[in-house]
Amino acid sequence: MDTVPNNLTHHFLVAMPHMADPHFARTLTYIAEHNAQGALGVIVNRPLDMTLGTLFERVELRLDAQNFITQPVYFGGPVQTDRGFVLHRPSGDWHSTLRVNEEVGLTSSRDILQSIGKEGEPHDVLVSLGFAAWTAGQLEQELADNAWLTIPADMSIIFGMPPEARLAAAVHKLGIDLTQISEVAGHA
């Protein structure tokens, strides 16, 4: 894997208030991979009007783990919105997993859903439809254009907070209030 300066793997992207793209306005995105070929991640604060119970019915899988039935499914981004992606910890050993680090993985294979349904494992999961992707240099240009703030990821924000609190909690780690940031980008 070709590395990039300022690698943002395992970081959050916070959409700046002037973000015009409706897919990303007011979002918190977890970056699972960032290298010279581009970046990919999932939006972690935009639940859909769908639960895991409903998703499991649609893909014809049993969901015996009762604590997952009402958990929301998320809009993970505008790419491949017909496919499911599971952000989870521990990273485990699944058929198709992008291992972010020793703690976190992003899996797109059915075997993880089967495990969630039967065994309730992994316990910490965020299931999304779709993901976010940037081509080589695109994310770097968006950062130069002040489209995003970056913050080292804190998994307790994703797995320990309701979706509506995640963006503010991440920004709070920087010691700022998004409502106080100008919608006009500038450079010093």
Coordinates of all heavy atoms in Angstrom, one line a residue, residues 1 7-11 30-34 87-94 97-107 152-155 158-159:
M1 N 0.8 -1.2 0.0 CA 0.0 0.0 0.0 C 0.9 1.2 0.0 O 1.8 1.4 0.8 CB -0.9 0.0 1.2 CG -1.7 1.2 1.4 SD -2.6 1.4 2.9 CE -2.8 -0.2 3.6
N7 N -1.7 10.7 6.6 CA -2.6 9.6 6.4 C -3.8 9.8 7.4 O -3.6 9.9 8.6 CB -1.9 8.3 6.6 CG -2.7 7.1 6.3 OD1 -3.9 7.1 6.5 ND2 -2.1 6.1 5.8
L8 N -5.0 9.7 6.8 CA -6.2 9.9 7.7 C -6.9 8.6 8.0 O -8.1 8.6 8.5 CB -7.1 10.9 7.0 CG -6.6 12.3 6.9 CD1 -7.5 13.2 6.1 CD2 -6.2 12.9 8.2
T9 N -6.3 7.5 7.8 CA -6.9 6.2 8.2 C -7.1 6.3 9.7 O -6.3 6.7 10.5 CB -5.9 5.0 7.9 OG1 -5.7 5.0 6.4 CG2 -6.5 3.7 8.3
H10 N -8.3 5.8 10.1 CA -8.7 5.8 11.5 C -8.9 7.2 12.0 O -8.5 7.5 13.2 CB -7.8 5.0 12.4 CG -8.4 4.6 13.7 ND1 -9.5 3.9 13.9 CD2 -7.9 4.9 15.0 CE1 -9.8 3.8 15.2 NE2 -8.8 4.4 15.9
H11 N -9.4 8.1 11.2 CA -9.7 9.5 11.6 C -11.2 9.8 11.2 O -11.8 9.1 10.4 CB -8.9 10.5 10.8 CG -7.5 10.7 11.4 ND1 -6.5 9.7 11.4 CD2 -7.0 11.7 12.1 CE1 -5.4 10.2 12.0 NE2 -5.7 11.4 12.4
Y30 N -16.2 8.2 9.1 CA -15.0 7.5 9.6 C -14.2 7.0 8.4 O -14.8 6.4 7.5 CB -15.5 6.3 10.5 CG -14.4 5.4 10.9 CD1 -13.6 5.8 12.0 CD2 -14.1 4.2 10.2 CE1 -12.5 5.0 12.4 CE2 -13.0 3.4 10.6 CZ -12.2 3.8 11.7 OH -11.2 3.0 12.1
I31 N -12.9 7.3 8.4 CA -12.1 6.9 7.3 C -11.4 5.6 7.6 O -10.6 5.5 8.6 CB -11.0 8.0 7.0 CG1 -11.6 9.3 6.6 CG2 -10.0 7.5 5.9 CD1 -12.5 9.2 5.3
A32 N -11.8 4.6 6.8 CA -11.2 3.2 7.1 C -9.9 3.0 6.3 O -9.2 2.1 6.7 CB -12.3 2.2 6.7
E33 N -9.7 3.7 5.2 CA -8.5 3.6 4.5 C -8.2 4.9 3.7 O -9.1 5.5 3.1 CB -8.6 2.4 3.4 CG -7.4 2.1 2.7 CD -7.5 0.9 1.7 OE1 -8.5 0.9 1.0 OE2 -6.6 0.1 1.8
H34 N -6.9 5.2 3.8 CA -6.4 6.4 3.0 C -5.0 6.1 2.5 O -4.1 5.8 3.3 CB -6.4 7.6 4.0 CG -6.0 8.9 3.3 ND1 -5.4 9.9 4.0 CD2 -6.2 9.3 2.0 CE1 -5.2 10.9 3.2 NE2 -5.6 10.6 2.0
L87 N -19.0 -1.8 9.9 CA -17.9 -1.2 10.6 C -18.0 -1.9 12.0 O -19.1 -1.9 12.6 CB -18.0 0.3 10.7 CG -16.9 1.0 11.5 CD1 -15.6 0.8 10.7 CD2 -17.2 2.5 11.7
H88 N -16.9 -2.5 12.5 CA -17.0 -3.3 13.7 C -15.7 -3.4 14.5 O -14.6 -3.1 13.9 CB -17.5 -4.7 13.3 CG -16.6 -5.4 12.3 ND1 -15.5 -6.1 12.7 CD2 -16.6 -5.4 11.0 CE1 -14.9 -6.6 11.6 NE2 -15.6 -6.2 10.5
R89 N -15.9 -3.7 15.7 CA -14.7 -4.1 16.6 C -15.2 -5.3 17.4 O -16.4 -5.3 17.8 CB -14.2 -2.9 17.4 CG -15.1 -2.4 18.4 CD -14.4 -1.3 19.2 NE -15.4 -0.9 20.2 CZ -15.3 0.1 21.0 NH1 -14.2 0.8 21.0 NH2 -16.2 0.5 21.9
P90 N -14.3 -6.2 17.7 CA -13.0 -6.4 17.2 C -13.0 -6.6 15.7 O -14.0 -6.9 15.1 CB -12.4 -7.5 17.9 CG -13.6 -8.4 18.3 CD -14.7 -7.4 18.5
S91 N -11.8 -6.5 15.1 CA -11.7 -6.6 13.6 C -12.0 -8.0 13.1 O -12.5 -8.2 12.1 CB -10.3 -6.1 13.1 OG -9.3 -6.8 13.7
G92 N -11.6 -9.0 13.9 CA -12.0 -10.4 13.6 C -11.4 -10.9 12.3 O -10.5 -10.4 11.7
D93 N -12.0 -12.1 11.9 CA -11.5 -12.8 10.7 C -12.6 -13.1 9.8 O -13.2 -14.2 9.9 CB -10.7 -14.0 11.2 CG -10.0 -14.7 10.0 OD1 -9.7 -14.0 9.0 OD2 -9.8 -15.9 10.1
W94 N -13.1 -12.2 9.0 CA -14.2 -12.4 8.1 C -13.7 -12.6 6.7 O -12.6 -12.3 6.3 CB -15.2 -11.2 8.2 CG -15.5 -11.0 9.7 CD1 -14.9 -10.0 10.4 CD2 -16.3 -11.7 10.5 NE1 -15.4 -10.1 11.7 CE2 -16.2 -11.1 11.8 CE3 -17.0 -12.9 10.4 CZ2 -16.9 -11.6 12.9 CZ3 -17.7 -13.4 11.5 CH2 -17.6 -12.8 12.7
T97 N -12.8 -8.5 4.7 CA -12.6 -7.4 5.6 C -11.4 -6.5 5.3 O -10.3 -7.0 5.0 CB -12.4 -8.0 7.1 OG1 -13.5 -8.7 7.4 CG2 -12.1 -6.9 8.1
L98 N -11.7 -5.2 5.4 CA -10.6 -4.3 5.3 C -10.2 -4.0 6.8 O -11.0 -3.5 7.5 CB -11.0 -2.9 4.7 CG -10.1 -1.7 4.8 CD1 -8.8 -2.0 4.2 CD2 -10.8 -0.5 4.3
R99 N -9.0 -4.5 7.2 CA -8.6 -4.3 8.5 C -8.0 -2.9 8.7 O -6.9 -2.7 8.2 CB -7.6 -5.4 8.9 CG -7.2 -5.4 10.4 CD -6.2 -6.5 10.7 NE -6.9 -7.8 10.5 CZ -7.3 -8.6 11.5 NH1 -7.1 -8.2 12.7 NH2 -7.8 -9.7 11.3
V100 N -8.7 -2.1 9.4 CA -8.3 -0.7 9.6 C -7.1 -0.7 10.6 O -6.1 -0.1 10.3 CB -9.4 0.1 10.2 CG1 -8.9 1.6 10.5 CG2 -10.6 0.1 9.3
N101 N -7.2 -1.5 11.7 CA -6.1 -1.6 12.6 C -6.4 -2.9 13.4 O -7.3 -3.6 13.1 CB -5.9 -0.4 13.5 CG -7.2 0.0 14.3 OD1 -8.0 -0.9 14.7 ND2 -7.4 1.3 14.4
E102 N -5.7 -3.1 14.5 CA -5.9 -4.3 15.3 C -7.3 -4.4 15.9 O -7.8 -5.4 16.2 CB -4.9 -4.5 16.4 CG -3.5 -4.8 15.8 CD -3.5 -6.1 15.0 OE1 -4.0 -7.1 15.4 OE2 -2.9 -6.1 13.9
E103 N -7.9 -3.2 16.1 CA -9.2 -3.1 16.8 C -10.4 -3.1 15.9 O -11.4 -3.6 16.2 CB -9.2 -1.8 17.6 CG -10.5 -1.5 18.4 CD -10.5 -0.2 19.1 OE1 -9.6 0.7 18.8 OE2 -11.4 0.0 19.8
V104 N -10.3 -2.4 14.7 CA -11.4 -2.1 13.9 C -11.3 -2.7 12.5 O -10.2 -2.7 11.9 CB -11.5 -0.6 13.8 CG1 -12.7 -0.2 12.9 CG2 -11.6 0.1 15.1
G105 N -12.4 -3.2 12.0 CA -12.5 -3.6 10.6 C -13.8 -3.1 9.9 O -14.7 -2.7 10.5
L106 N -13.7 -3.2 8.6 CA -14.9 -2.8 7.7 C -15.1 -4.0 6.8 O -14.3 -4.3 6.0 CB -14.6 -1.6 6.9 CG -15.8 -1.1 6.0 CD1 -17.0 -0.7 6.9 CD2 -15.3 0.1 5.2
T107 N -16.2 -4.7 7.0 CA -16.5 -6.0 6.3 C -17.7 -5.8 5.4 O -18.7 -5.2 5.8 CB -16.7 -7.1 7.3 OG1 -15.5 -7.2 8.1 CG2 -17.0 -8.4 6.7
P152 N -8.6 12.6 15.0 CA -8.4 11.2 15.3 C -9.6 10.5 15.8 O -10.4 11.1 16.6 CB -7.3 11.2 16.4 CG -6.6 12.5 16.2 CD -7.6 13.4 15.8
A153 N -9.9 9.3 15.2 CA -11.2 8.6 15.5 C -11.2 8.2 17.0 O -10.2 7.8 17.6 CB -11.4 7.4 14.6
D154 N -12.4 8.2 17.6 CA -12.6 7.7 18.9 C -13.8 6.8 18.8 O -15.0 7.2 18.5 CB -13.0 8.9 19.8 CG -13.3 8.4 21.2 OD1 -13.6 7.2 21.5 OD2 -13.3 9.3 22.1
M155 N -13.6 5.5 18.9 CA -14.6 4.5 18.6 C -15.7 4.6 19.6 O -16.8 4.1 19.4 CB -14.0 3.1 18.5 CG -13.0 3.0 17.4 SD -13.4 3.7 15.8 CE -14.6 2.5 15.2
I158 N -18.6 6.3 18.1 CA -19.5 5.5 17.2 C -20.3 4.5 17.9 O -21.5 4.4 17.7 CB -18.6 4.8 16.1 CG1 -17.9 5.9 15.3 CG2 -19.4 3.9 15.3 CD1 -16.9 5.3 14.3
F159 N -19.6 3.8 18.8 CA -20.3 2.6 19.4 C -20.9 2.9 20.8 O -21.6 2.1 21.3 CB -19.3 1.5 19.5 CG -18.8 1.0 18.2 CD1 -17.5 0.9 18.0 CD2 -19.7 0.6 17.2 CE1 -17.0 0.4 16.7 CE2 -19.3 0.1 16.0 CZ -17.9 0.1 15.7

